[in-house]
Structure formats: C-alpha cells, structure tokens
Amino acid sequence: MDINYIGEHAAPGQLGNWFVQLSFVFSILAAVAYYLGERNRDTSWLQLGRWLFRLHSASVVAVIGLLFYLILQQYFEYDYVWKHSNRAMEAKYVFACFWEGQEGSFLLWMFWHLVIGNLLIWRNKSWEGPVLSVLSLVQVFLSSMLLGLYVAGQKIGSNPFLLIRELPENLGLPWTQSPNYLSLIPQFADGRGLNPLLQNYWMTIHPPTLFLGFALTVVPFCFAIAGLWRGDLTGWMKAARSWSFSGVLVLGVGILMGGAWAYEALNFGGFWAWDPVENASLVPWLTLVGAAHLIIVNLRKPQSVFLALFLSMISFILVLYSTFLTRSGVLGDSSVHSFTDNGMTGQLLLYLLTFLLLMTALLIRRPLERVLYSGISASMLVITAVMEQKVALILVFLFFSALALVRAYRSDYRQVTEEEKLWSREFWMFIGSLVLGLSALQISFSTSTPVINLLIKPFSETFGQWGQQWNWEWLIKLGKANFAPPSNAIQHYNKWQIPFAFLTAMLIAATQFFAYRDSDIKKVLSRLAMPFGLAVILTIGLGYAFQFSWSQPNLLVLLFSGIFAVTANAHYWLVVVKKANKMLGSSMAHLGFALILVGALISAGKSVKLSENKTTFDITSLGKDFKNNEDMLLFKGDTVAMGDYFVTYKGKKTEGINQLYQVDYFSPKPNRYLKGQLVLSQGVVFECTREHVPSSNFLNDQANYWKVVDQPSSEQLRQTKLWNAGRAGDLAFTLYPRIQMNAKFGNVPEPSTKHFLHKDIYTHIRWAELERDTVDAEGYFKPQDYQISKGDTIFSARTLIVFEGMNLASDPTEFRLLPSDLVAVAHLKIIQADKQEIHANPIFILRDNNLVIPDVTEVKEAGLKIAISEINPAENKVSFSIAEHQDNTKEFVVMQAIMFPGINVLWIGIVLMGLGTLIAVLQRIRASLKNER
C-alpha cells in the first residue's frame, strides 16, 4: 500500500534519480555511436554520438542542479543532505558540502569530463571519434557510480537521491510506515553537518581544482588510445600536448593548494605529511609531467614512443587507482582523508582493471597477440566478478598484463628509429621522465602496502601451512611476511625521494642548455659554469646561515641542486636566450619548481619547535602524543620565555562555533639580576653574587655570578624564579589559534600563523580545558605522579611541597590497621602562597609483605589529595600521586609553536611554477591556433 508521507519532498529526488539513469544510458549510447562512427568512418554516427554526449552532459548538469537544490532547501529526509549539511552551516560552505561525499565528488569529476568533452568536440574534430568514444566509456563507469542499484546481490553505485527511509538498513522498520515520521523523529529536524576540517575557504577551491586536474589526465589517455587505435603512434601528440601541460598545471596547483590548506588549517605542523591520499594525487602528476615532456621530444623526433604512450595512459590509470585506494576503505586508518568502504570496492576495482586492460591491449601492436591477451584478460575479469576468492585471479591478471607490456615493448617499440645521442636534449629529457617515473613507482609501492598485504595474505597462509608441514623455516617466515606501512612516513619517503629530487633538480638545471639532436658539450659546460659557481657560493652561504650539518650530506647536495636549478634557469632565460619569450614559460616553471625544492628543504628541514614545557606539570600525563620538549603549558596571565620571544596566554573568547585563544608575543629585553636574587636553573637553586646582565646561556655566567644554595629554606623557595636571559618587552604580535567546536564530529584545533618575510611563526592549541569536565565529584583533577628524594620540592599550582623524609610507624594500630601491617609515614611540608605552612603525613600500607593498601590523605586547606604510590629503596626515591582541587588552578592551555624559516621561498616557487606553466600552455595554444589559420 502506498503511504502519503507528510512533509516529504520526494519529487526532486525522483527527478534526480531519473536524470542519473539518463546520464548512464546516454553515455553508453554515445560511446557506441562514436565507436561505430570511427570504425565505419561514418559521419552520421559521429553526429549522433555528438548529440548523445550533449544529452549526457545535460543530464549530469540536471543531477548536479537538483542535488544543490536539495542541499540549499535543507531537505534532511535525504541521506546525502542529512550526512553533509545542517542548519548551523554557513552558506559559503554549500559547495564544500556538495563534494564532501563520494557521490558529490563523482559528480564533480563527471562535470569536468563533460566540459572537457564538449571542448574536444568543438576544437578537435579530426580526433573526435576515437577520443570521445573512450571519454564516453569513462563516463559510463562514472555514471554507474551513482546508480544505487543491486544486481545479483552486488551493489552498483550509490545514489545521492536516496531517502533515509529507503536505506537498506531501514527498510521494514516501523517508523518508515508512519506518514508523519519527519515530525515525529527529532533527528530529521537537522542534519549531521559538514566535517569541521572541511569548514575552510580552501574547501571551496581546492577540490574543484584537484578534480579538474584529475579530469585532465583523461585527455592524453584518450588521445594515446586513439593513436594506437588508428595505428598512428605519434600523430596524436600534437593535439594532446597542450592538454597534457594543462593537466600538469591544474593538477599541480590542486596538489599545492592542498598543501597550503594543510599548512593553514590542519594542526600537524607543516604543508606535506606524505599521507597516502596526498601521495595518490602526487603520483599521477609526476607521471603526467614525464609524459608531457616526452610528447615534446617525440614531436621533434620519434624517440621513446613507448614510454610517451605508457606515461600518458598510466597517469589516468593512477588516478583511477587513487580513487580505488581512497574510496574502497582499503587504507583504513592509515590516512586521514580516506573514505570508508561503502560496498563499491568491487565496482571500483572493475573500473580500474577494465581501463588497465584497454591500455595494455592497445599497446600490443600484433593483432593475434592483442586478441589473445584481450580474450584471456576479459575472461579473467568476468570470472573474477563472480568468484568469491578474487585475489588469486587478480594477481594472475596483473602478472599477465605486465608480461604482455614487456613483450610488446621488446617486440614492437624498441629502436623505432636511431638512438638519441648522449649530448642531445631529448636524451636528457627522456632520463628526466624516467626519473619521475621511478619516483612515482617508489611512492606508489610504499603507499600500496595495505593493498599488497591483501593480495599476498591468501598465499602467505598457504606458505605458512606448507612450512609447518615440511618444517621449512624459510617457508614459515615467508608465510608470516607482512608489508607494514612506514612507522615514520616523513622520514621514510624523504629517504627515498631526496635522491630523485636531486636528480630532477640537476636535470632541469642542465637539460635546457643542450640542443636537440646533438650539442657541443664544451659550449654547454661553459654556459653552465657561471650558474654552477654561483650555486656553490649560495649553497655555502645558506648552508652556514641555516646550520646545515656535514653529517647530513644528502640535505646539502639537495640544497645545492635546488639552488643550481634556480641559478641555471635564471641564467638561461636572462642571458642565453635573452628576449626569446617562447622560453619564458618553461624557464619560469622550472625556476618555480626549484624554489619549491629549496623552500621545502629549508622550511621543513630546518623548522624549529620553539615551545618547551618549563613547568613542573608533566604534559605527557595528558596523552601519549604530548611531549615536554615540544609542547608548553601556559597558565592564563603568565609570561614565559619561548625562543626569541616571551609569550602570554591572555584568555579565550567565542566567535560562532569557534573558541579563539589569544596568545601575545613580546619581543625580549635584556634582564638584569641584582645581588641576592634567587633563580632556579636545571633543578638547582642559585643565588646571585653580584649585579649583572645575563648572557644567553646560564652556564656562561654561573662561575662568575652565581652560587649554589644547598638547602634552600621555605622563604627562599618562595622567592625563587626561573632563570631567564631576558624579560618581556614591547608587544610584537598577537595570534589567535582556535578550536572549532563540533559536538557531532569532535572539536578540531586550527592554527594561527604570523607571517614574516623570512619566516613564519606557527602556533596551535594542543590541549585546552573546554569545560570543567575533567574533575571528579569533589572537584579534584586527575592525579599527577612525582618521583622525588628526601629534600626535593614539588611545585604545584599554589604551593611548594617539600619532602622532608619518611619513617616506619611503630604502632600500626594508631592508624586503625592490623598489628602485622607495615606502615611507612612520609613527612611533607606544604608552603602556601601566603607563607602559611601545613604539615601532611600520607602513609604507605603493606599487608602480608605483598598487598599494598591504597590510602589517600586530603589536605583541604591546600586543596590537595596526596597518596604514596611506590617506594623505591634501591634508588632512595618515593613516588607521590598528587591531585589538585579545581579552585587551586588557573586556566591553562598546552600550546605548540613552530618556526618555519624561508617558507616564503616555497610559496613564491608555487606561484612561479603555476604562472610559468600557464604561460607555456597559452603559448602552445596560441601557436596551435596560428597554425590552423
């Protein structure tokens, strides 16, 4: 029976679902029409394909428009709207809300493909048939990701227009039969909302840029397939050249936008963390850069045709692989960006393997071998789709495809023409593309460890069983093999990628000085001499300025290679080619890339954590991720030395959903110590012997100006302050790190950064007491542990606690204990801020020589609870557990501050690389239009 649901807006969803199905059907028909038009050389089929692709485009635009309408109208009965939007979300984040989910990001990807497709129809009529046939096939797979159908129990796509009551887990539930469920269930009044990490203006520009970059990788893929289809191995390259460099530009800018977003909005302290999803974007960019440069080489002379074809196509395949990694859930907890598995893993895998099959089949030039490979591989994919144990067949398919590619290269592509000469530009451009490919391979392998483990797991178990059966130790070890992701990702990838970066920088420095076909090496070396010498001088100067150590030669050689690339590209354009504006774009792009290397090396490699905990509170007690030598505890109103500054936590204020923490930075003034003043340094109390202005290091002054106070009195301890070379001077600047409050996703800290010409001071809150929910029923905070010896002092928030010693109780019964109990009594002197002294005697109870009975002494006047947790006679130390009352403590935060030197070199490099690539693309488009006329 049909139910008339009250207040439900089903019509736009039904219309949207209809357009999803239309987009899928039209993409299939367009692919078929273009295929037949190319195969039969029939313009009527091509004309039909053109109109079908336009109808597909209109359907996709309609889907996008309807989904935006649902979000803007806040129809929370729709699952997609409820998951990614809410009423509290600012209107400017509606775009971020649209593409936060998988369905929206697929739609964004499809949108860029249809824009590109219609531009290709307009500008590339000679290649329209095969190129649009392949592009339409890509759209078939992307459209299928939105169908939300179940075929033979297998989920095909995820529909963005699904109502919450239509979700499989909700079907048949009683509330779905209620006509007025929307008003009865409070959850439908508002949505879950946008992830707080994404509530940043970068999320309105970074994803569309990145997905346009992903979409542009399909163009060289389609052209390469078209060239192989027609048997024209190089003719496609002229049409694909500008598209390839456009992809390099847009995808590169998208990746760098992600780095800027991470630096500004995320709290890990940096712009690149080698996260698996970051890597999945970087790898296709590396291969696309190599492909674009090889296209230039092969347009002049057909050399390394196979590698040009392979890199052009593998860039798109790697985009599909990154989609599989991030959306299949295979990355699990190894990436902060990955989606969870939503039941489409098999579909994503089929998408990837189908186009890998297509690429491999067309690279095989011999018809019989191509037919055999295609038939066997297609059969394997069909069997894989219905098999429960898919891993073995997938491995066989991948191995079979790799063998087919090696066979094709050796039999059909080797020595298409004569080999390049050693001193030719095309040879070194080929080497550069090879280096980029190897770099991409290493990143892909390390990123893919979760996938590799899934693939080898069935075989590992078998090998382990065989090893146990035959008692072969090596087989048992093989059975236990497991590729663990790198524990320190930044260190792991840097170790591998620094050599690749060095080689790339050296190549972009020198290659442009070589001529095509052949060069006079003496002339090349003479032109390189001046930028080389200048790079040596600058490397020495910067290495000294930023304290690069000879114990890290890899960083020094990378610094040199980056500087050499800067000086060489500047020299090449300003001196060698002078006013040859045609070289401006490439030289500027290379210069920008070199500056990125130098800026990243200096800013990340020589960043300094300025913060350090100088209180007696052990920050590690707040969590295992906190470190006393990297994080600092700041009480409200206290001024503490930090690096070249003094900092004060002034307080917090609320702005909307954000809690802002005001941290004032003061420039230092020289301190002056008078005779008789007491300071604490390295845990020891010192008395000043004569007036002086301190140096930067206490040890330099100790012999001349300070004497040790062996047993400071209570009065002396009250007067003791931490030693500082300086004191707070004028206010330098104020930062407002914030915590975005979000009850549904969890609170998210976001940093605040002060930008200087030569450095950045980056500050973020690591811990803050958002509410007084960390105290027990009596108002005490979690106890802190202190291990001390007789005579030592514990500094609490308002008191000094002196451990005067310990003795055994002569009569345990006075503590209402058994006569056989062993009772140790500690003697503590508690000195309060008003100089009042309180004595406390916590006890340690040992029964039957092994049972420790906990006992807590409460000192209400001092707001303390004290217990003895352990006695260590061997080291003559006692461990006390001390809890403080909330009335004792001032508000405090745990903050981390990092200084990034020279980071503006990185940002300038990003701008120059993007601008240079844009100029190069525009120059090539202009030249292409001129040739057409």
Side-chain angles (χ1 to χ4, degrees):
M1 130 181 123
D2 291 334
I3 301 174
N4 185 21
Y5 291 101
I6 300 170
E8 190 178 76
H9 306 86
Q14 293 169 354
L15 188 61
N17 189 48
W18 184 65
F19 276 116
V20 166
Q21 295 171 16
L22 279 180
S23 72
F24 178 67
V25 171
F26 284 138
S27 61
I28 293 175
L29 295 176
V32 172
Y34 272 121
Y35 171 80
L36 294 174
E38 174 64 19
R39 182 178 180 181
N40 301 323
R41 301 291 179 179
D42 189 335
T43 55
S44 61
W45 278 112
L46 292 177
Q47 184 69 21
L48 177 61
R50 192 175 299 152
W51 280 106
L52 287 168
F53 190 84
R54 287 169 177 162
L55 288 170
H56 162 74
S57 301
S59 300
V60 173
V61 171
V63 172
I64 292 172
L66 284 165
L67 188 55
F68 265 118
Y69 173 77
L70 295 179
I71 294 170
L72 290 169
Q73 294 298 315
Q74 298 182 329
Y75 291 158
F76 296 118
E77 59 265 39
Y78 287 92
D79 183 56
Y80 194 86
V81 179
W82 185 88
K83 284 181 177 176
H84 306 290
S85 175
N86 64 1
R87 299 188 188 280
M89 186 186 71
E90 297 180 57
K92 62 184 178 181
Y93 295 132
V94 67
F95 289 102
C97 172
F98 173 82
W99 46 64
E100 181 195 20
Q102 295 205 47
E103 298 88 340
S105 57
F106 277 126
L107 278 169
L108 179 61
W109 196 357
M110 290 172 65
F111 172 78
W112 287 128
H113 274 175
L114 65 89
V115 170
I116 290 167
N118 283 284
L119 285 173
L120 287 168
I121 291 172
W122 176 46
R123 295 298 309 167
N124 294 95
K125 292 291 194 295
S126 59
W127 289 94
E128 181 184 352
V131 168
L132 266 296
S133 178
V134 177
L135 182 56
S136 297
L137 181 62
V138 172
Q139 291 292 82
V140 170
F141 278 87
L142 285 176
S143 297
S144 72
M145 297 295 174
L146 304 176
L147 289 175
L149 303 175
Y150 283 86
V151 178
Q154 177 66 44
K155 184 180 181 181
I156 308 296
S158 178
N159 195 315
F161 298 103
L162 202 62
L163 292 162
I164 294 179
R165 64 176 174 82
E166 295 174 333
L167 294 173
E169 60 267 29
N170 292 335
L171 293 177
L173 293 179
W175 65 265
T176 63
Q177 307 302 312
S178 174
N180 59 340
Y181 75 92
L182 287 175
S183 59
L184 289 176
I185 301 175
Q187 284 81 355
F188 286 101
D190 201 0
R192 183 174 64 180
L194 185 66
N195 189 317
L197 284 173
L198 308 182
Q199 294 187 35
N200 184 281
Y201 69 91
W202 281 111
M203 275 307 294
T204 62
I205 56 176
H206 166 56
T209 306
L210 191 67
F211 273 93
L212 176 56
F214 285 159
L216 284 166
T217 63
V218 81
V219 183
F221 175 84
C222 291
F223 272 106
I225 292 290
L228 290 166
W229 187 350
R230 289 183 175 179
D232 186 353
L233 298 185
T234 58
W236 61 274
M237 294 182 181
K238 186 175 181 180
R241 178 177 58 182
S242 297
W243 287 102
S244 300
F245 277 99
S246 297
V248 170
L249 168 65
V250 178
L251 183 54
V253 169
I255 293 169
L256 294 169
M257 278 183 175
W261 170 41
Y263 182 74
E264 180 176 314
L266 303 184
N267 62 354
F268 67 84
F271 46 83
W272 192 262
W274 292 107
D275 181 270
V277 176
E278 294 174 344
N279 298 347
S281 305
L282 176 63
V283 167
W285 181 80
L286 290 172
T287 55
L288 188 61
V289 171
H293 284 80
L294 283 179
I295 286 173
I296 293 176
V297 170
N298 284 279
L299 281 173
R300 290 181 170 271
K301 183 181 178 183
Q303 301 286 357
S304 56
V305 173
F306 178 84
L307 190 59
L309 286 162
F310 179 78
L311 290 179
S312 296
M313 291 187 286
I314 202 65
S315 299
F316 175 67
I317 299 296
L318 287 168
V319 168
L320 300 185
Y321 180 59
S322 73
T323 304
F324 168 76
L325 281 180
T326 56
R327 296 166 194 277
S328 64
V330 70
L331 291 177
D333 297 328
S334 60
S335 172
V336 298
H337 300 81
S338 64
F339 293 86
T340 56
D341 183 10
N342 64 352
M344 294 195 298
T345 300
Q347 188 179 355
L348 290 166
L349 189 61
L350 181 64
Y351 186 10
L352 168 65
L353 297 180
T354 298
F355 284 95
L356 182 61
L357 187 156
L358 178 63
M359 178 191 84
T360 307
L362 286 173
L363 279 170
I364 299 171
R365 304 304 303 146
R366 303 188 182 195
L368 180 59
E369 292 183 11
R370 177 184 291 175
V371 170
L372 285 173
Y373 168 80
S374 301
I376 295 172
S377 298
S379 300
M380 281 193 283
L381 292 186
V382 171
I383 295 171
T384 301
V386 298
M387 281 181 61
E388 290 188 9
Q389 297 296 329
K390 305 176 186 297
V391 173
L393 208 55
I394 291 172
L395 276 176
V396 172
F397 167 74
L398 294 175
F399 183 69
F400 183 48
S401 299
L403 288 179
L405 286 173
V406 173
R407 163 71 179 168
Y409 169 71
R410 293 178 64 86
S411 61
D412 301 331
Y413 294 92
R414 292 183 70 180
Q415 296 182 348
V416 175
T417 59
E418 66 183 63
E419 294 287 344
E420 302 99 326
K421 293 184 178 179
L422 178 62
W423 305 123
S424 65
R425 181 181 292 190
E426 49 265 47
F427 174 79
W428 292 106
M429 288 176 72
F430 167 79
I431 295 297
S433 298
L434 197 60
V435 169
L436 291 174
L438 292 173
S439 171
L441 180 64
Q442 186 278 319
I443 298 172
S444 294
F445 180 83
S446 294
T447 304
S448 301
T449 48
V451 179
I452 295 170
N453 287 332
L454 285 175
L455 292 175
I456 68 173
K457 185 177 179 180
F459 302 97
S460 298
E461 293 174 353
T462 303
F463 292 149
Q465 292 170 1
W466 289 349
Q468 294 285 352
Q469 181 180 348
W470 299 329
N471 199 26
W472 289 355
E473 188 65 29
W474 67 271
L475 202 55
I476 294 174
K477 290 181 178 179
L478 184 62
K480 296 178 181 178
N482 186 52
F483 292 91
S487 57
N488 187 327
I490 294 177
Q491 183 179 348
H492 170 80
Y493 285 104
N494 286 350
K495 177 183 70 176
W496 284 97
Q497 289 300 311
I498 282 176
F500 291 122
F502 166 76
L503 291 173
T504 303
M506 295 298 289
L507 287 167
I508 66 173
T511 299
Q512 60 199 328
F513 289 89
F514 290 93
Y516 286 101
R517 299 187 181 276
D518 200 5
S519 306
D520 182 347
I521 188 59
K522 292 183 179 179
K523 187 176 180 181
V524 171
L525 292 177
S526 66
R527 286 178 168 177
L528 284 169
M530 190 180 78
F532 184 90
L534 183 58
V536 170
I537 295 170
L538 289 173
T539 301
I540 294 172
L542 289 175
Y544 177 79
F546 290 103
Q547 299 179 349
F548 280 88
S549 171
W550 289 108
S551 63
Q552 296 177 303
N554 57 335
L555 299 184
L556 281 171
V557 296
L558 181 59
L559 178 65
F560 166 75
S561 65
I563 294 173
F564 181 38
V566 171
T567 57
N569 277 278
H571 177 72
Y572 181 76
W573 184 67
L574 294 174
V575 177
V576 177
V577 297
K578 296 180 181 178
K579 295 184 179 180
N581 287 330
K582 64 179 181 179
M583 302 305 300
L584 172 62
S586 60
S587 291
M588 185 182 292
H590 291 160
L591 177 65
F593 180 80
L595 287 173
I596 290 173
L597 282 182
V598 174
L601 175 61
I602 293 175
S603 61
K606 292 301 172 181
S607 64
V608 178
K609 286 188 170 65
L610 303 175
S611 46
E612 179 183 359
N613 183 30
K614 296 181 180 180
T615 70
T616 57
F617 183 93
D618 183 9
I619 292 182
T620 60
S621 64
L622 296 174
K624 63 181 181 179
D625 295 330
F626 294 91
K627 297 179 181 179
N628 284 301
N629 63 338
E630 295 183 0
D631 305 312
M632 69 185 305
L633 185 144
L634 276 176
F635 286 102
K636 183 177 178 181
D638 287 356
T639 301
V640 180
M642 187 188 75
D644 294 333
Y645 300 94
F646 282 81
V647 293
T648 301
Y649 168 47
K650 297 289 287 186
K652 62 187 177 185
K653 60 180 178 179
T654 301
E655 289 185 1
I657 61 173
N658 296 309
Q659 192 118 275
L660 276 66
Y661 296 81
Q662 180 180 343
V663 181
D664 289 343
Y665 280 71
F666 298 90
S667 55
K669 281 186 177 180
N671 214 338
R672 177 175 292 276
Y673 283 105
L674 304 177
K675 183 179 178 179
Q677 281 188 279
L678 299 169
V679 298
L680 183 69
S681 178
Q682 301 174 339
V684 179
V685 176
F686 291 88
E687 182 180 354
C688 181
T689 57
R690 56 194 174 111
E691 184 178 347
H692 68 283
V693 174
S695 65
S696 60
N697 191 324
F698 179 81
L699 295 177
N700 296 335
D701 301 339
Q702 182 178 342
N704 297 322
Y705 301 105
W706 299 97
K707 68 177 182 181
V708 176
V709 181
D710 289 327
Q711 294 182 343
S713 65
S714 301
E715 180 63 28
Q716 286 176 315
L717 287 172
R718 278 193 292 270
Q719 296 175 10
T720 300
K721 296 181 179 179
L722 286 173
W723 180 88
N724 277 310
R727 57 190 175 87
D730 298 330
L731 178 66
F733 56 90
T734 298
L735 292 178
Y736 291 93
R738 65 179 181 170
I739 295 179
Q740 189 181 141
M741 312 297 288
N742 193 300
K744 294 179 179 178
F745 287 90
N747 303 321
V748 176
E750 294 188 17
S752 179
T753 304
K754 176 64 177 179
H755 304 286
F756 295 91
L757 188 62
H758 63 294
K759 67 179 181 181
D760 276 4
I761 302 294
Y762 170 104
T763 304
H764 72 279
I765 299 298
R766 297 267 285 145
W767 188 93
E769 187 185 10
L770 302 175
E771 296 177 0
R772 288 273 171 165
D773 57 356
T774 57
V775 297
D776 62 19
E778 297 179 46
Y780 282 92
F781 288 100
K782 181 181 177 182
Q784 303 296 314
D785 291 326
Y786 303 89
Q787 189 180 57
I788 58 175
S789 301
K790 181 180 177 181
D792 288 347
T793 301
I794 299 171
F795 291 79
S796 70
R798 288 188 176 181
T799 64
L800 300 176
I801 306 169
V802 182
F803 177 35
E804 297 182 317
M806 174 173 280
N807 64 276
L808 292 176
S810 58
D811 184 10
T813 58
E814 67 177 288
F815 299 100
R816 298 182 181 179
L817 298 171
L818 299 177
S820 59
D821 290 341
L822 187 66
V823 181
V825 182
H827 302 283
L828 301 177
K829 181 169 62 174
I830 303 171
I831 306 168
Q832 300 190 93
D834 59 2
K835 300 185 181 181
Q836 180 183 354
E837 292 185 5
I838 303 171
H839 291 272
N841 301 108
I843 61 175
F844 184 81
I845 308 166
L846 187 65
R847 179 166 294 171
D848 298 329
N849 294 321
N850 56 18
L851 177 62
V852 177
I853 301 176
D855 184 84
V856 177
T857 298
E858 183 175 13
V859 187
K860 291 185 177 181
E861 306 95 309
L864 299 172
K865 279 186 177 182
I866 305 172
I868 303 173
S869 54
E870 184 182 3
I871 298 176
N872 188 341
E875 297 182 10
N876 197 27
K877 290 182 179 293
V878 179
S879 295
F880 290 93
S881 176
I882 301 177
E884 293 203 63
H885 197 274
Q886 60 183 350
D887 293 339
N888 279 18
T889 58
K890 294 188 292 185
E891 180 189 345
F892 70 91
V893 296
V894 176
M895 183 187 85
Q896 188 173 95
I898 308 173
M899 188 270 290
F900 290 99
I903 196 166
N904 283 331
V905 175
L906 172 74
W907 306 131
I908 292 170
I910 289 173
V911 172
L912 287 179
M913 189 177 77
L915 189 59
T917 308
L918 177 62
I919 291 172
V921 169
L922 293 176
Q923 287 173 333
R924 288 182 172 88
I925 292 175
R926 192 180 300 115
S928 176
L929 293 174
K930 186 176 180 181
N931 291 335
E932 289 181 8
R933 290 197 293 268

